[in-house]
Amino acid sequence: IGTVLGEPDPDSAKLLRAYTSTFKFSNRSFTAALRIFLESFRLPGEAQKIDRIVHSFSQHYYEENKGSEKNGDEAPLRNADAAYVLAFAVVMLNTDLHNHSVRKKMTLDDFIRNNRGINDGADVPREFLRQVFDSIAAVEIKMSDEAGIGFLTDIHWDETLRGARFLATTGSTAEVASEPFLLSYPDDAKVFDEEVFRICWQPALTAAVVALEESQDPVAAQAALEGFLSVARCASSFRLSDPINACIS
């Protein structure tokens, strides 16, 4: 996906804009928005393609978060260029803090010093940069094929809920509500969880076994192993021994 999005031709540029516009960045922190965007696909290796993708993110993030100025509140980032430079700085910070080969880690003061004057000639508010630094230091940004199930976070779940649409059914006619909102479930919805798990755990293990035995792709192997762990965790929560024994065997 990243390779296609980063191409310079007009069709790819149009596709990149359309893809980026599907993300809802309003009222999101900068790092949460960047995390959701970068973890949705693998960044290509070519610098020019990365530049186009980050530029698209920066434009969209700024457009969706500059509205606070209308209420008399000054937005932390004054223009899309500031978001663009900061996005690259965050990618560099992420590598610096979470790459074990980097011995001398970047400090908060280093990060703030590196981003002086990027905000239309002024400095980005220190508290804003501190929040960015703390977020990346706490949780690494993982590219899509590096992350896997084990790296899903509350931010990813929130993004799933944000993108959901509630189907309101009236009689025999189902209509999509005009405004998106978080899905709400009845209190007794979880009563079906165990039955659903009993139905699907064996096919899930079969798929994981096939992937593990036949695939030469380490990413697929990792996903298969995570599948075993997920089945075992679910079985443990429902106190079911057969799925656990099947995972072990």
Side-chain angles (χ1 to χ4, degrees):
I1 295 176
T3 300
V4 175
L5 295 177
E7 291 292 340
D9 62 277
D11 287 341
S12 294
K14 183 178 180 180
L15 181 62
L16 175 58
R17 289 192 298 271
Y19 179 79
T20 307
S21 68
T22 64
F23 291 85
K24 306 303 180 184
F25 293 151
S26 58
N27 299 318
R28 275 201 180 280
S29 70
F30 186 81
T31 51
L34 185 62
R35 189 184 304 278
I36 290 296
F37 185 69
L38 292 183
E39 293 182 354
S40 68
F41 60 92
R42 179 172 176 81
L43 274 178
E46 186 178 338
Q48 291 181 333
K49 291 183 178 181
I50 296 176
D51 182 83
R52 297 184 191 101
I53 291 171
V54 173
H55 183 268
S56 181
F57 161 82
S58 305
Q59 290 282 351
H60 186 53
Y61 179 85
Y62 174 73
E63 290 298 324
E64 291 216 326
N65 287 278
K66 67 178 182 179
S68 60
E69 296 174 351
K70 298 178 181 179
N71 301 324
D73 299 327
E74 183 179 359
L77 300 176
R78 296 183 179 181
N79 53 37
D81 289 339
Y84 170 78
V85 176
L86 183 59
F88 269 109
V90 169
V91 172
M92 294 175 60
L93 174 67
N94 185 71
T95 301
D96 183 277
L97 294 182
H98 298 285
N99 189 327
H100 297 300
S101 64
V102 179
R103 295 186 177 181
K104 186 178 180 181
K105 301 297 184 181
M106 190 182 303
T107 65
L108 174 60
D109 289 337
D110 293 333
F111 182 66
I112 293 175
R113 184 166 52 251
N114 292 342
N115 289 284
R116 284 178 179 170
I118 69 170
N119 204 16
D120 196 23
D123 291 341
V124 177
R126 182 182 178 90
E127 178 61 20
F128 183 82
L129 291 179
R130 185 193 65 77
Q131 293 175 359
V132 169
F133 182 92
D134 289 347
S135 174
I136 299 301
V139 182
E140 178 185 3
I141 294 179
K142 285 279 189 177
M143 299 308 161
S144 61
D145 63 343
E146 298 174 349
I149 297 172
F151 285 92
L152 293 180
T153 65
D154 291 341
I155 293 176
H156 298 94
W157 178 237
D158 182 52
E159 178 66 16
T160 300
L161 293 179
R162 278 188 173 219
R165 298 294 187 273
F166 182 81
L167 293 179
T169 305
T170 305
S172 60
T173 304
E175 297 179 352
V176 178
S178 58
E179 294 295 329
F181 58 96
L182 297 184
L183 292 175
S184 59
Y185 298 97
D187 293 336
D188 60 350
K190 291 185 178 180
V191 72
F192 302 109
D193 287 358
E194 182 175 342
E195 290 304 314
V196 171
F197 177 72
R198 287 178 179 273
I199 293 171
C200 71
W201 74 262
Q202 287 181 310
L205 276 187
T206 300
V209 169
V210 172
L212 191 61
E213 290 180 347
E214 297 186 4
S215 177
Q216 302 298 318
D217 183 2
V219 175
Q222 177 189 352
L225 292 174
E226 288 172 348
F228 284 113
L229 291 174
S230 296
V231 169
R233 291 188 185 110
C234 288
S236 177
S237 68
F238 295 129
R239 299 183 180 279
L240 301 175
S241 59
D242 288 347
I244 297 176
N245 291 334
C247 289
I248 295 174
S249 61

